Amino acid sequence: MENFKLACVVTMCMALMYAQNGGAVSCVQVSNSLAPCLLYLQNGGVVSPSCCYGVKGLVNAAKTIVDRRVTCDCLKSAATSIKGINVDYAAALPEKCGTNIPYKISPSINCARYTCII
């Protein structure tokens, strides 16, 4: 268990350094990719093709552990900070777009659980 915690701390530090130094995925990219999803995330209904394009683009961009961690942390932050987001709609978004991520988007997700691999 101690090795797991250490690996997660190291991964988190790498993620922060990577994001600050122009990593492949940034919170700006996550926000821009999901901007077309805002109407759905707040009101439900039909998910637009441009929203799904953004979701799939993020899934494809997050290839490394660091990218997945940055993406997860950004999604968690957005789910917490953007007013009116329905967490059930957010959790259903990847499936509605025909893609898969190993966690449900929510303000309470433990990103380390899904991105730290030993």
Side-chain angles (χ1 to χ4, degrees), residues 15-84:
L16 291 172
M17 289 187 313
Y18 191 68
Q20 291 173 349
N21 293 319
V25 176
S26 69
C27 282
V28 170
Q29 180 182 356
V30 172
S31 295
N32 289 342
S33 295
L34 296 182
C37 304
L38 191 57
L39 185 64
Y40 165 76
L41 292 171
Q42 292 174 327
N43 303 308
V46 177
V47 180
S48 72
S50 60
C51 170
C52 288
Y53 180 80
V55 170
K56 290 176 181 178
L58 281 178
V59 170
N60 289 333
K63 296 295 184 195
T64 68
I65 292 171
V66 173
D67 287 340
R68 289 190 295 270
R69 177 62 184 263
V70 169
T71 301
C72 181
D73 285 336
C74 294
L75 290 172
K76 179 179 180 174
S77 177
T80 303
S81 64
I82 299 173
K83 300 217 183 280

Side-chain angles (χ1 to χ4, degrees), residues 7 14-15 37 60 72 77 79 82 84 92-93 99 101 108 117:
M14 289 171 43
C37 304
N60 289 333
C72 181
S77 177
I82 299 173
L93 184 59
T99 191
I101 60 174
S108 60
I117 299 172

